[in-house]
Amino acid sequence: MLKRVVISLTIFLAIACLTIGVIAWSRGYRINVGQKTLTATGILSTSSSPDKASIFIDGKLISATNASLSLAPNWYSVKISKEGYQPWEKKVRVQGEVVSQIDALLLPTNPSLRALTSMGIISPVLSPLGTKVAYIVPTDEATAGGTLKPKSGVWILELRTTALGGKSEPRRIFAPSVKYDWTKASLHWSPDEKQIIAAFKKPLTTALQLITDEENIVPVDVTFSFSSLINQWEEVRREKEKEAVTFIIPKLADTLLRATDHIRLSPDETKMLYLATNSGTLAPILSPPLIGSNSTEEVRAIERGKYYVYDIKEDKNYFLTGSKSVSSSDGPIWYSDSKHIVLVDKDTIALVDFDSQNKKSVYSGPFENNLVYSWPAGGRLVILTSINALKTLPNLYEIDLR
């Protein structure tokens, strides 16, 4: 009887010890043989796009993405690299019993260019949702081919690929029956993307309202109501911006709306890019901070004339860049993955992590009006440029970052 009790007790203790050991192992505890101690480790989970890139920890090759690495609590210099791509590097903090996440975007060393238009265009304008570009093909360029049919007018290009992976073909929504001076024209999208106004100004002489989902329609003359329409559309845009910020970040909405401008929510609405127009301080919402959150140092005091990114989920605010270092009049824009920002400085386009780390140049060369758009489905940027030395009108090109 006693023997049976001893055996049962031994089995129970063995199972209990094994269970405790498994739980401790899963939570990151490891035996330090040298110090003869049980140490809590952390997990560094790494992924990259493209995958199967090399992971270097403090200069030593450790593994390849995608992988979960068990590391003692400390700060580590992490480098992720792959042949043909620019390396990704960051100082990362690993905490005991905590999973820290790295998701590295590797940018090609030599991105390729591909033409999206070919007729020579002017005045491209991105739609409010960032999915379409409206532009003008002027008369003189369109008829230069002699025997070819004129293609002048207002065109729309959807920033998407077809089911077979090809490019979307542009379509003309307005073919003028009279001759216009397109060099003095500008295009204006309605907030719902259903209308475009082509305004011929300096000073304003004619304004034509077009329907975007129809082709070759008869435009409506809105010359006398042009200013009020544009003001109405701008008011709708501001109201939508205000509603979005108030709904997503209610506790900081007053501060952000009062002291900021150029507010841009990331495509997944988890972060906000903005320009500080007044100095102020963002009060903390989460106290204490989330465990395992981004280890990059944040900035709660904002200064006028600087761009910042606020991470809504982690309640962290990061300084991005000063307004004087940004050439584009539209300022920085979001890359399609909601994790990176597109910066334009003179003849250079760069991508940077939303927390201002890993700024990498993706294009260096001439492009018109510092214009750059992010392809909604990811992997590409769109610029306006002319790649030959001839004095021809520019076209839209995609920069392939895959």
Side-chain angles (χ1 to χ4, degrees):
M1 183 67 181
L2 180 59
K3 183 177 180 181
R4 183 178 298 175
V5 172
V6 172
I7 293 174
S8 299
L9 184 60
T10 302
I11 294 174
F12 173 78
L13 292 174
I15 293 175
C17 291
L18 181 61
T19 302
I20 293 172
V22 170
I23 294 174
W25 181 272
S26 65
R27 293 183 63 178
Y29 283 86
R30 300 293 185 270
I31 297 176
N32 189 320
V33 178
Q35 298 180 0
K36 297 180 181 180
T37 58
L38 186 64
T39 305
T41 62
I43 302 296
L44 183 62
S45 178
T46 61
S47 62
S48 66
S49 178
D51 59 6
K52 298 181 180 179
S54 300
I55 305 172
F56 293 84
I57 305 293
D58 290 341
K60 296 180 180 179
L61 178 61
I62 301 298
S63 182
T65 57
N66 300 323
S68 293
L69 309 175
S70 180
L71 300 170
N74 207 340
W75 284 89
Y76 294 92
S77 295
V78 180
K79 177 181 177 180
I80 298 178
S81 63
K82 187 171 185 173
E83 185 176 358
Y85 294 85
Q86 301 181 61
W88 182 97
E89 299 178 74
K90 188 175 182 179
K91 197 82 171 176
V92 177
R93 183 187 182 188
V94 175
Q95 298 171 273
E97 302 185 53
V98 174
V99 177
S100 300
Q101 179 71 40
I102 285 178
D103 186 12
L105 174 65
L106 302 181
L107 300 170
T109 306
N110 297 299
S112 60
L113 283 177
R114 185 172 74 111
L116 297 173
T117 63
S118 59
M119 296 176 286
I121 72 168
I122 61 174
S123 305
V125 182
L126 188 67
S127 67
L129 296 179
T131 59
K132 305 170 186 176
V133 179
Y135 58 86
I136 294 169
V137 176
T139 304
D140 53 353
E141 282 293 317
T143 58
T147 59
L148 296 177
K149 292 182 179 181
K151 295 184 177 180
S152 64
V154 179
W155 292 70
I156 289 180
L157 172 68
E158 295 191 34
L159 302 182
R160 63 178 179 84
T161 52
T162 64
L164 298 178
K167 66 178 182 179
S168 175
E169 292 297 326
R171 58 186 178 87
R172 183 168 57 170
I173 65 169
F174 175 52
S177 57
V178 297
K179 187 174 182 179
Y180 291 101
D181 183 2
W182 291 106
T183 61
K184 295 182 179 180
S186 59
L187 301 179
H188 307 266
W189 284 93
S190 65
D192 58 7
E193 299 189 348
K194 293 182 179 180
Q195 301 168 64
I196 289 177
I197 292 180
F200 302 85
K201 51 185 180 179
K202 295 184 181 180
L204 178 69
T205 55
T206 306
L208 305 176
Q209 190 171 24
L210 313 171
I211 307 299
T212 60
D213 58 358
E214 298 181 19
E215 297 185 11
N216 300 327
I217 62 168
V218 178
V220 177
D221 191 325
V222 292
T223 305
F224 296 105
S225 59
F226 171 74
S227 296
S228 62
L229 276 173
I230 295 301
N231 290 335
Q232 288 174 21
W233 290 357
E234 177 61 20
E235 184 62 28
V236 170
R237 184 196 67 79
R238 286 197 296 265
E239 282 300 315
K240 285 185 176 181
E241 180 182 275
K242 181 178 178 180
E243 289 174 5
V245 173
T246 303
F247 177 75
I248 297 173
I249 326 172
K251 293 185 178 180
L252 292 178
D254 289 342
T255 301
L256 292 171
L257 292 172
R258 184 177 63 253
T260 65
D261 196 3
H262 289 264
I263 294 176
R264 299 178 186 270
L265 287 171
S266 60
D268 64 0
E269 297 187 346
T270 62
K271 304 174 186 71
M272 189 182 78
L273 167 66
Y274 64 92
L275 172 67
T277 54
N278 290 296
S279 298
T281 302
L282 300 184
I285 296 177
L286 299 178
S287 184
L290 292 177
I291 297 175
S293 59
N294 194 334
S295 54
T296 300
E297 184 178 359
E298 66 163 335
V299 176
R300 304 301 294 195
I302 62 176
E303 299 178 23
R304 181 179 180 180
K306 293 183 178 181
Y307 283 98
Y308 299 86
V309 174
Y310 177 70
D311 187 327
I312 299 168
K313 181 180 178 180
E314 296 192 354
D315 182 33
K316 288 197 171 184
N317 194 66
Y318 303 99
F319 167 68
L320 183 66
T321 187
S323 58
K324 293 182 179 179
S325 64
V326 179
S327 300
S328 173
S329 59
D330 290 334
I333 63 171
W334 280 104
Y335 188 55
S336 54
D337 65 358
S338 298
K339 299 176 183 177
H340 298 84
I341 305 292
V342 182
L343 295 175
V344 177
D345 185 8
K346 298 180 181 178
D347 289 338
T348 301
I349 300 173
L351 252 66
V352 61
D353 293 352
F354 73 90
D355 60 0
S356 77
Q357 305 295 299
N358 284 289
K359 183 179 180 181
K360 303 292 183 182
S361 174
V362 296
Y363 178 84
S364 182
F367 60 107
E368 301 287 329
N369 304 326
N370 292 315
L371 180 148
V372 57
Y373 305 139
S374 180
W375 193 274
R380 307 170 193 175
L381 297 175
V382 177
I383 62 172
L384 180 69
T385 187
S386 179
I387 61 175
N388 55 47
L390 299 177
K391 292 183 178 180
T392 57
L393 289 177
N395 280 288
L396 293 173
Y397 283 80
E398 71 170 34
I399 304 174
D400 194 343
L401 301 180
R402 294 168 296 179

